[in-house]
Amino acid sequence: MPSKVENWKSEVYGNDIRDHLMEFAEEGWESIPDDEQDAWFERFKWWGLYHQRSGQESYFMMRIGTPNGVIEPGQLEVIGEVAKEYATGPAENPEFGDAYCDWTTRQSIQLHWIKLEDIPEIFDKLESNGLSAQQACGDSWRNIVGCPVAGKDEHEHIDAWPVAEELHETFKGNDDYTNLPRKWKVSVTGCDQGCGQGDINDLAFEPAEKDGELGFNVRVGGGLARKEARLARDIDVWVPPEQASDVAAGMSALFREYGDRDDRFNARIKFLVDEWGPEKVRSVLQEEFVDFELPTAGEDMRDQYTYNAGGDDVHGDHVGVHQQPDGNYYVGLNVLVGRMGADDTLELAELAEEYGSGEVRLTQRQNVIVTDVPEDDLDEFLEEPLLEDYSPDPHPFMRGSIACTGTEFCSLSITETKNRQVRYARWLKENVELPDGVQDFHIHLSGCTASCAQPQIADVSLRGMKTRKDGEPVEAFDIGLGGGLGENPQFADWVEMRVAADEVPGYIENLLAAYEAEREAGESFREFIAARDEEALQDLAEAEETSYDDPYMHNTKMTWYPYADEDDMNASPAPTDGTGQPIPSDD
């Protein structure tokens, strides 16, 4: 039997949702029948809208897709203006203020506190400037990811941006691929560093050479969600750039026809690859979904992959000052946990216009890149006050911090995330000495098992849980160690369960002390973890209280907003009308 969601989608889905969305926006929040809200909220995702959680009724998160993270000249200013005008909510975040942009681990943008009644104006402003929320969520093609400096990178063998752009233009709004069993995530990489993180995508195009020609090898079935992480598997296919779109169409059509629509948990391509194996995936793709002979895989460049590979003194991310092939420079700025205030976003847009081409790009590590800065202007740009907060040369604990949305807005999350990871990073920076030679250390904090912060591919992985401490329920984390990508990607080993949130920094401090004391000469942290069995890892370090203070130990999911003065559900002003005024209860 089709799942409940599939039945909803069979009634209205894809592009047809827009007319209904606009009608609801015109009539207001109360026009959505209570017994139809779940169905409409699921459909709205196709247009980039997630309804926020309990206590925040009538407010939405809006995701804007930027293919390959490319924000064209003038667009960042529009994003900042939308954030400032429409994404200011009824409560202020103590760290980030009352209007901000979240840069995501899939090179997209998220805005919060969006009111239904404002959506037509927001869409008009975005779309008139080449931006869109279409298919940023939902059971369809998601935002295409890849090396964020494609076309401007000295490390690349083939410019993947035209391929990513073609995929975006071909499948965005394409009715033939509107309704897939679940989301469809695609990565395109042309460099030898592995910046597209293809291993954790449903479909990955990775640089490879065959018979003297550069193109892409194809991998299928990667993903991190829940506790079912998979690395994408090689299906022994190579394609030239001009056929990438045809192969992508064939693979997503294969998923459309054979993906599981009965069990939503099982409705990802990774499970189909589990069931069939790579050989059958290839044969069915060849026999049913492409009309040309698929070449076998070419010689890949995975032995050169260094992006998020756990090494020091290598190209592990895009933070810093880097020369482009044309002699200009791109400057990668560290955005702690991926959140930037609306005013700062507008200032960055001005600086990108003043010093570069106006183009800005987003990375999968929640950072931003200003491109095309001439060498003569570089020093002056680096002296701009904004770069004191968004540094191109951050401390490793700042550089390595990633966090998902958390209980601030997300209905799935179990713990508070963004502000907590900011506090973790700052405490570690002030109190913990990194072992000699460690320049790159990743801590990813995810509020639940959905893995939006990609915790399985971090040096230290944190996954939101609950526990009891001194007889009281508190927020906690499972702790994993030693994850990362590169030539030989591996997922973190989960070694500690339900560690109270205020004891996590002490655990990391003790962990790094053990690493420094016990490591072999030249042994990276990831190698150090991989060399130990489960029992040794569990004995490696103890969690403990320190001078770190955590104000979010209570169950933030049971509050209407974790940072509000009165944080119980009854204090919520939601739902509100189009002017932000509370709608009286029927009681």
Side-chain angles (χ1 to χ4, degrees), residues 67 72 144 161-174:
E72 297 175 353
I144 311 294
W161 168 235
V163 177
E165 190 174 31
E166 181 183 0
L167 294 176
H168 173 79
E169 292 174 353
T170 300
F171 298 104
K172 190 68 69 173
N174 187 324

Side-chain angles (χ1 to χ4, degrees), residues 105 197 199-200 224 229-231 307-310 364-365 402 442-444 451 453-461 481-486 489-492 494 526:
T105 53
Q197 300 194 149
D199 284 301
I200 57 172
L224 300 178
R230 298 285 190 282
L231 294 169
Y307 192 82
N308 191 16
Q364 292 191 64
R365 294 200 54 78
I402 284 180
H442 296 179
I443 302 172
H444 293 195
S451 302
Q454 302 176 347
Q456 296 95 327
I457 55 170
D459 295 303
V460 175
S461 312
L481 301 176
L485 297 180
Q490 62 190 47
F491 296 134
W494 296 99
R526 184 168 154 188

Side-chain angles (χ1 to χ4, degrees), residues 382-451:
L382 295 174
E383 291 298 319
E384 284 288 342
L386 186 68
L387 273 61
E388 294 177 10
D389 294 323
Y390 306 101
S391 174
D393 186 26
H395 187 282
F397 285 131
M398 302 298 204
R399 183 176 192 148
S401 288
I402 284 180
C404 71
T405 298
T407 53
E408 184 177 8
F409 301 112
C410 180
S411 60
L412 296 177
S413 184
I414 300 171
T415 62
E416 196 279 335
T417 55
K418 292 277 190 188
N419 286 22
R420 176 172 279 133
Q421 183 57 33
V422 168
R423 297 174 71 89
Y424 280 175
R426 289 174 178 165
W427 187 90
L428 291 167
K429 176 183 175 182
E430 293 300 320
N431 293 278
V432 177
E433 288 289 331
L434 278 161
D436 289 342
V438 175
Q439 303 296 321
D440 198 25
F441 193 77
H442 296 179
I443 302 172
H444 293 195
L445 188 154
S446 210
C448 72
T449 60
S451 302

Side-chain angles (χ1 to χ4, degrees), residues 12 49 118 134 154 168 180 208 216 223 263 267 278 304 331 379 537:
V12 180
L49 294 162
D118 290 334
Q134 185 183 45
E154 291 186 329
H168 173 79
L180 301 179
F216 304 94
D263 181 353
Q304 302 171 59
V331 181
D379 288 343
L537 291 176

Side-chain angles (χ1 to χ4, degrees), residues 334-345:
N334 178 234
V335 183
L336 185 58
V337 301
R339 180 166 286 179
M340 180 176 282
D343 288 335
D344 287 350
T345 301

Side-chain angles (χ1 to χ4, degrees), residues 570-586:
N570 292 330
S572 171
T576 65
D577 62 19
T579 65
Q581 296 301 309
I583 297 173
S585 171
D586 292 334

Side-chain angles (χ1 to χ4, degrees), residues 12 63 128 175 310 334 356 436 563:
V12 180
R63 184 179 294 152
S128 63
D175 286 338
N334 178 234
D436 289 342
Y563 323 114

Side-chain angles (χ1 to χ4, degrees), residues 439-505:
Q439 303 296 321
D440 198 25
F441 193 77
H442 296 179
I443 302 172
H444 293 195
L445 188 154
S446 210
C448 72
T449 60
S451 302
C452 296
Q454 302 176 347
Q456 296 95 327
I457 55 170
D459 295 303
V460 175
S461 312
L462 303 176
R463 181 173 63 194
M465 291 289 162
K466 289 285 191 294
T467 192
R468 298 189 75 84
K469 182 173 181 177
D470 300 327
E472 297 294 329
V474 296
E475 300 199 345
F477 293 93
D478 292 344
I479 300 178
L481 301 176
L485 297 180
E487 178 186 1
N488 297 303
Q490 62 190 47
F491 296 134
D493 289 318
W494 296 99
V495 300
E496 296 288 343
M497 301 293 124
R498 300 182 184 274
V499 175
D502 63 343
E503 297 178 14
V504 168

